[in-house]
Amino acid sequence: MIFNNLVKKIEKQKLIGRGCNNFPVAAKWQTVKKSAKEKFVICNVSESEPGVFKDKYILERWPEQVITGMGLAMKNIGATKGFIYLNPEYYQQFNDYLVPEIEVQKLNIEIYQKPLHDYIGGEETALLNALEGRRIEPRLKPPFPTTNGFENQPTLVNNCETFYAVYLISKNQYQHTRFYCLSGANFKAEVKELPLKITVKKMLENFGHKPNPKYFYQVGGGAAGFCYNYRQLNRPFDGIASVIIHQIDTPEKDLIIHWANFFAHESCGQCVPCREGTYRLKIILENYYTKGIMDQKIFDDLIFSLQNTSFCPLGKISANAILSYWRNVKKPITKARDTISKQNLNSKL
Amino acid sequence: MPQIKLSINNKEYTAELNETILDVALRENIFIAHLCKHPDLKIQGNCRLCLVEIDGLGLTTACSTLVKEGLKIKTESPKIERARKTNLELIFSEHIEKCSTCLYQDNCAILKYAKKFNLNIARFPDRKKNYPVWQFGDSIQFDSSKCIDCRNCVEVCQKQACNFYEISERGVETIVKPKGTALINCHPNSPEDEEGSCINNANDDNNIVDALKNNSDKFDCTYCGQCVVHCPVGAISGVPHLGSVEKLLQNKDDKILIAEIAPSIRVSIGEEFGVEPGKIMTGQLAASIKSMGFDWVFDVNLGADFTTYEEAKELVGWLNSGKKRPMFTSCCPAWVKFVEFYYPEFINHLTTANSPHMCSGPIIKTYFANYLKVDPRDIVVVSIMPCTSKKHEINLDTHTIDLGWCLERLNLPNLKTICPDRKNLQGIKIKAVDYVLTTREYAHLLHKHKIDLPNLKPQDLDLPLGVYSGAGAIYGASGGVMESALRSADYFFRVMDEVGSLDPVINGENYELKNKRFSKLERSRVEFKEVRGQAGIKSAEIKVGNRKLKIAVANGLGNAEKILKDLKNNKVNYDYVEVMACPGGCVGGGGQPIPTNAQIRAKRAAAVYEIDKNLPIRTAHENPSVLEVYQKYFKGDEDLIEKILHSKFKQQEREGFCVISNSIGNPEK
């Protein structure tokens, strides 16, 4: 059977999901395939991480290939229906192109407009809730969507780029490449197809940029990504293949408050550490930058709780950028915080 | 289920594969703090308190993690302590402490944890101090400034098929609220607040986040109070009547104070005093009520016998007529409201027999007032109930007593001399029951007066309205009302067959007649075990009299809705259906002690059947108090019986809610 061969091919090519979880595609397909129930396939084009725009790039060029990839997945695992989950902006842009293509390929695929241009709505279980008309927030895992997904049926959720790669594998055209995004102040937002497993430095060089001390680099997305200085870029990408180049002299306050605000604003409000923690963190940092007050112990406890006890990844990653910025880009802050925290041990935030 | 081995705090335990770590810990009495997990509900994992540390995996929540072979789990460690403490302190920042006026203070989980973990509960500033207190109808109050957004109420309300609560907004602005509430500027970020800061509300496109379209006018509260018993922090409560009752107890002002106790509270109130669920406390309750200063204490079990008598009579008539079946019970006011609001097409199926305390209430204020020779307006009746919707029931029009009509129509010689102005009383209506205290409220009153209920010397309830049968006693458990009615219907059917009418029943002649004229009749069937138990829906075919009845018993409004839908779609047909809004019936009522869960409900129910088993009289139609009232008072006047013991139902508009205040202290109406 040609379709069975496809899973083997995917496995052989060691295709890893192109969302952010680094999950092997073949394993996911096999889990869904095993079930005898009604099944669904979802193409996730939420693309809600700032600084990531490769799905858009792919849909502009290869929409029919993505749909074919989805169709292969549906036939292979025996799904009755597929959904393309587009964020509102992409829906505007692509709906009219995708609909006729789906008709041409005679596939039972529905295009679904993501209700909000939000962050958590791209998480696969929050996405399922959105599709079912429920509140947009993540579900408890396990059970995973592969066994209990859309309408509690086994569901395959893959990223748009993954389906494109599946198409290439089925045509024996897969070259072990992926799509990298580069952006930043004074930089043109650009996407390039480059080999897997290159270092950040190598990637930047491919875009024609030589790392230098005038900048610092946020790797892995504009919200969840870690900040590195120009000497720390000899590292592979872990998950999202995106780099944002920041001017080194961007005011610290603007950056930190921006990141803190982002997560406080995007928290779905389901669990205590994220609902309250991201908000309190934001207040603490605002007070720090406006009044010079910070209680180090509270700050550290909040981060600890967010990173270790949040319900979903949003809370866990909410301090990535801030902490790595202080660690790798601008160090003196820690000392200042220590002296301040001693003076204000008993004060409220 | 396959068994596996795991270690908790370096000790080996066996567990089943489908158990969570928290299940095992609770079973083995290993302490793990937890808040949002309730055994009646799905696992939510949103409070993030039940943290444990697993070797190689770090911190995880015990409620949502299934056991695995070889797991090495610690329930205490510096990491656990640190994160748990921080999360609890964050929870406290969402909860305005109003402990001094909070009925929940003795059971409050977060207060216990605060003491146990030595928390700094003011480490983060309170965020909800401007949040409103909502009141639903005249029964439920929801103080959203105490709400910790755990969502138990939302889920339980959904299970109750009412969906009156919703979660709105996102992030720190997330709010649990009754449906149809305009958003109020209660968040600290709203402009008028001093502490205001910087989430930009102005062009926040997330306000449309409620993916569900609202249609809020289609949802209303039935006042069942399940949200109250499932709230871990006392944010939701019954509308307090305790203040008014306390005032009366302090200053009686020539009033006669009468308390009556519901069938199910005697088996649950002990829990408020540290006694095992299911301990029977009838005598202690009577003693405590007397020592609080009430003049008389009666038993709603007697009222229940009246309900049974009328309901069984109606059932026999119903099944002998061409009326559309089934007949539904109607002694649960939350269920009645559910039908009146959500399924008005079934209103005609409800028995019109009053609920127990709505039978005893009017009898106290007419028959017993005459016996005491006092003006009914000088009598105050306080029902102690397992229920929050009873607070709503006593305000219904159909349950008021028209004094003028009573004096005109009833043979009440004493009252006629006491109330010489009776001509002017035309149209003056008084409430049959003045106040309803929940089990929790009454326990709180006793605590306040340092009355140690379990150690009181038991006393008898007062005559003449204290004699009750086992049929009345079992009203507290799901299936009890059905069983009581079947016991009497079994007998009434035989009367019907022999006499050709129910006249002897209407005249209250049963017992006498049974001994003379109906001597051939065997003793009625007493136990109908088919209808007992905690299952959500029970159905059976039961021989009653010479007929076979198809019956069903539902507890929980969600289960009731299933039956209604099946009836509508002609998937099922029944002759007689009992519904109790709360899981397990009144033993799991919205006014009962907290915690309430399946295990506790089963223990309370078992005790109720124990009372029945040990009573000499086990059917309503053999209760001499009931028969006396029918013989001496109603004298076969059906019009009068109708007026005193029956209600009228009508389709209800949404009553919704109102914002009552945000002041600490006295939100009483």
Side-chain angles (χ1 to χ4, degrees), chain A residues 181-289:
Chain A
C181 305
L182 181 78
S183 59
N186 306 327
F187 288 88
K188 194 171 148 255
E190 236 185 308
V191 176
K192 271 195 161 68
E193 189 176 355
L194 300 168
L196 291 169
K197 290 178 186 171
I198 57 173
T199 62
V200 178
K201 194 175 168 194
K202 187 98 187 151
M203 173 263 194
L204 287 169
E205 283 166 6
N206 270 296
F207 277 82
H209 176 85
K210 196 172 174 336
N212 69 71
K214 278 195 285 185
Y215 306 103
F216 74 94
Y217 302 83
Q218 193 177 7
V219 179
F226 290 90
C227 299
Y228 299 106
N229 62 47
Y230 76 105
R231 282 186 305 235
Q232 294 175 305
L233 302 177
N234 223 349
R235 58 176 67 241
F237 284 89
D238 178 27
I240 299 169
S242 146
V243 176
I244 298 172
I245 306 180
H246 296 274
Q247 306 276 351
I248 196 85
D249 56 2
T250 314
E252 174 186 331
K253 178 191 165 189
D254 294 356
L255 288 163
I256 303 282
I257 298 291
H258 167 77
W259 288 318
N261 255 336
F262 182 88
F263 285 98
H265 187 256
E266 294 296 340
S267 169
C268 74
Q270 185 171 200
C271 76
V272 169
C274 182
R275 176 175 70 235
E276 286 297 326
T278 53
Y279 165 72
R280 305 284 166 182
L281 204 59
K282 186 193 77 150
I283 302 280
I284 287 178
L285 291 166
E286 276 166 1
N287 282 340
Y288 172 61
Y289 285 108

Side-chain angles (χ1 to χ4, degrees), chain A residues 137 276 286 301 305 309, chain B residues 48 87 94 127 151 198:
Chain A
E137 54 191 21
E276 286 297 326
E286 276 166 1
D301 282 349
S305 191
T309 74
Chain B
R48 314 310 278 178
N87 288 350
E94 301 182 326
R127 176 165 74 71
R151 309 173 175 193
C198 77

Side-chain angles (χ1 to χ4, degrees), chain B residues 117-132:
Chain B
F117 301 131
N118 198 14
L119 291 189
N120 173 7
I121 60 171
R123 193 173 183 205
F124 300 98
D126 282 327
R127 176 165 74 71
K128 294 193 168 178
K129 61 181 180 224
N130 296 331
Y131 277 45

Side-chain angles (χ1 to χ4, degrees), chain A residues 115-120 133-137 140 142 261 264-273 275-277 279-280 282-283 286 297-298 300-302 304-305 308-311 348-349, chain B residues 43-48 51 59 64 79 82-83 86-87 90-91 93-94 122-125 127 148-149 151 167-172 174 187-188 197-199 204-206 208-209 211-212:
Chain A
L116 298 174
H117 195 94
D118 66 340
Y119 193 64
I120 196 64
R134 295 171 194 274
R135 207 176 138 82
I136 302 166
E137 54 191 21
L140 267 183
N261 255 336
H265 187 256
E266 294 296 340
S267 169
C268 74
Q270 185 171 200
C271 76
V272 169
R275 176 175 70 235
E276 286 297 326
Y279 165 72
R280 305 284 166 182
K282 186 193 77 150
I283 302 280
E286 276 166 1
K297 177 91 172 42
I298 288 188
D300 293 345
D301 282 349
L302 279 177
F304 183 82
S305 191
N308 289 287
T309 74
S310 292
F311 186 99
K348 288 188 174 181
L349 304 190
Chain B
I43 294 161
Q44 309 196 82
N46 63 29
C47 77
R48 314 310 278 178
L51 298 164
L59 294 184
S64 62
K79 277 186 181 173
R82 183 182 185 191
T86 306
N87 288 350
L90 287 171
I91 286 170
S93 76
E94 301 182 326
R123 193 173 183 205
F124 300 98
R127 176 165 74 71
I148 60 160
D149 300 320
R151 309 173 175 193
I167 312 158
S168 183
E169 303 307 291
R170 306 198 312 168
V172 77
T174 304
H187 189 260
S197 57
C198 77
I199 286 185
D204 192 348
D205 59 346
N206 294 327
I208 55 161
V209 79
L212 292 169

Side-chain angles (χ1 to χ4, degrees), chain B residues 69-225:
Chain B
E69 179 70 44
L71 279 189
K72 286 194 168 61
I73 299 159
K74 275 190 287 191
T75 64
E76 291 297 337
S77 77
K79 277 186 181 173
I80 293 170
E81 204 179 311
R82 183 182 185 191
R84 180 176 61 199
K85 199 160 177 247
T86 306
N87 288 350
L88 257 170
E89 285 162 346
L90 287 171
I91 286 170
F92 266 100
S93 76
E94 301 182 326
H95 177 83
I96 307 283
E97 299 84 47
K98 300 176 183 173
C99 307
S100 63
T101 57
C102 183
L103 280 195
Y104 196 66
Q105 53 175 312
D106 301 315
N107 301 311
C108 182
I110 56 172
L111 195 60
K112 277 179 200 158
Y113 293 150
K115 286 174 189 156
K116 189 176 170 91
F117 301 131
N118 198 14
L119 291 189
N120 173 7
I121 60 171
R123 193 173 183 205
F124 300 98
D126 282 327
R127 176 165 74 71
K128 294 193 168 178
K129 61 181 180 224
N130 296 331
Y131 277 45
V133 181
W134 286 294
Q135 183 167 312
F136 310 159
D138 40 17
S139 289
I140 305 283
Q141 282 177 359
F142 174 26
D143 184 343
S144 64
S145 74
K146 290 184 185 174
C147 172
I148 60 160
D149 300 320
C150 77
R151 309 173 175 193
N152 282 0
C153 54
V154 182
E155 189 190 334
V156 84
C157 196
Q158 201 176 1
K159 274 183 90 170
Q160 289 291 75
C162 294
N163 291 300
F164 187 60
Y165 287 98
E166 68 179 358
I167 312 158
S168 183
E169 303 307 291
R170 306 198 312 168
V172 77
E173 290 170 59
T174 304
I175 184 166
V176 174
K177 61 184 186 60
K179 272 206 180 121
T181 323
L183 282 171
I184 300 159
N185 274 342
C186 44
H187 189 260
N189 290 322
S190 63
E192 58 266 67
D193 194 279
E194 293 283 318
E195 284 186 350
S197 57
C198 77
I199 286 185
N200 181 7
N201 276 334
N203 48 9
D204 192 348
D205 59 346
N206 294 327
N207 280 341
I208 55 161
V209 79
D210 295 298
L212 292 169
K213 289 283 163 277
N214 231 325
N215 297 330
S216 54
D217 56 327
K218 293 199 180 114
F219 303 93
D220 203 8
C221 178
T222 60
Y223 317 121
C224 72

Side-chain angles (χ1 to χ4, degrees), chain A residues 14-275:
Chain A
K14 297 196 174 110
L15 181 66
I16 299 294
R18 295 288 159 78
C20 51
N21 275 336
N22 295 333
F23 198 82
V25 174
K28 212 183 213 180
W29 284 36
Q30 269 152 357
T31 316
V32 182
K33 197 176 170 157
K34 259 192 291 188
S35 168
K37 295 184 196 162
E38 189 184 6
K39 289 167 249 184
F40 298 94
V41 168
I42 297 170
C43 173
N44 186 355
V45 205
S46 169
E47 197 148 71
S48 44
E49 179 72 38
V52 183
F53 33 84
K54 42 107 188 165
D55 290 347
K56 184 180 178 187
Y57 182 85
I58 290 165
L59 282 186
E60 278 165 351
R61 286 159 183 79
W62 305 290
E64 63 274 23
Q65 284 83 341
V66 171
I67 290 167
T68 307
M70 265 188 90
L72 287 169
M74 287 168 66
K75 279 174 208 150
N76 198 282
I77 63 163
T80 47
K81 186 166 183 185
F83 293 93
I84 300 177
Y85 182 77
L86 290 172
N87 75 40
E89 183 199 322
Y90 291 4
Y91 183 85
Q92 292 296 326
Q93 189 180 341
F94 296 115
N95 186 48
D96 293 347
Y97 298 97
L98 293 173
V99 170
E101 188 54 42
I102 291 168
E103 276 169 22
V104 168
Q105 299 199 23
K106 297 197 173 74
L107 292 169
N108 183 16
I109 294 176
E110 183 184 326
I111 297 188
Y112 183 84
Q113 182 180 359
K114 188 184 167 199
L116 298 174
H117 195 94
D118 66 340
Y119 193 64
I120 196 64
E123 194 275 341
E124 58 177 357
T125 56
L127 171 158
L128 293 170
N129 279 343
L131 273 179
E132 291 177 17
R134 295 171 194 274
R135 207 176 138 82
I136 302 166
E137 54 191 21
R139 301 176 180 176
L140 267 183
K141 289 193 263 190
F144 294 94
T146 45
T147 55
N148 303 70
F150 180 65
E151 303 288 8
N152 212 24
Q153 301 295 321
T155 303
L156 175 76
V157 186
N158 273 146
N159 176 263
C160 170
E161 186 185 345
T162 309
F163 285 118
Y164 179 60
V166 165
Y167 166 83
L168 293 176
I169 288 172
S170 77
K171 296 280 180 212
N172 300 319
Q173 293 167 3
Y174 182 61
Q175 299 292 327
H176 293 270
T177 57
R178 68 183 297 191
F179 294 87
Y180 292 80
C181 305
L182 181 78
S183 59
N186 306 327
F187 288 88
K188 194 171 148 255
E190 236 185 308
V191 176
K192 271 195 161 68
E193 189 176 355
L194 300 168
L196 291 169
K197 290 178 186 171
I198 57 173
T199 62
V200 178
K201 194 175 168 194
K202 187 98 187 151
M203 173 263 194
L204 287 169
E205 283 166 6
N206 270 296
F207 277 82
H209 176 85
K210 196 172 174 336
N212 69 71
K214 278 195 285 185
Y215 306 103
F216 74 94
Y217 302 83
Q218 193 177 7
V219 179
F226 290 90
C227 299
Y228 299 106
N229 62 47
Y230 76 105
R231 282 186 305 235
Q232 294 175 305
L233 302 177
N234 223 349
R235 58 176 67 241
F237 284 89
D238 178 27
I240 299 169
S242 146
V243 176
I244 298 172
I245 306 180
H246 296 274
Q247 306 276 351
I248 196 85
D249 56 2
T250 314
E252 174 186 331
K253 178 191 165 189
D254 294 356
L255 288 163
I256 303 282
I257 298 291
H258 167 77
W259 288 318
N261 255 336
F262 182 88
F263 285 98
H265 187 256
E266 294 296 340
S267 169
C268 74
Q270 185 171 200
C271 76
V272 169
C274 182
R275 176 175 70 235

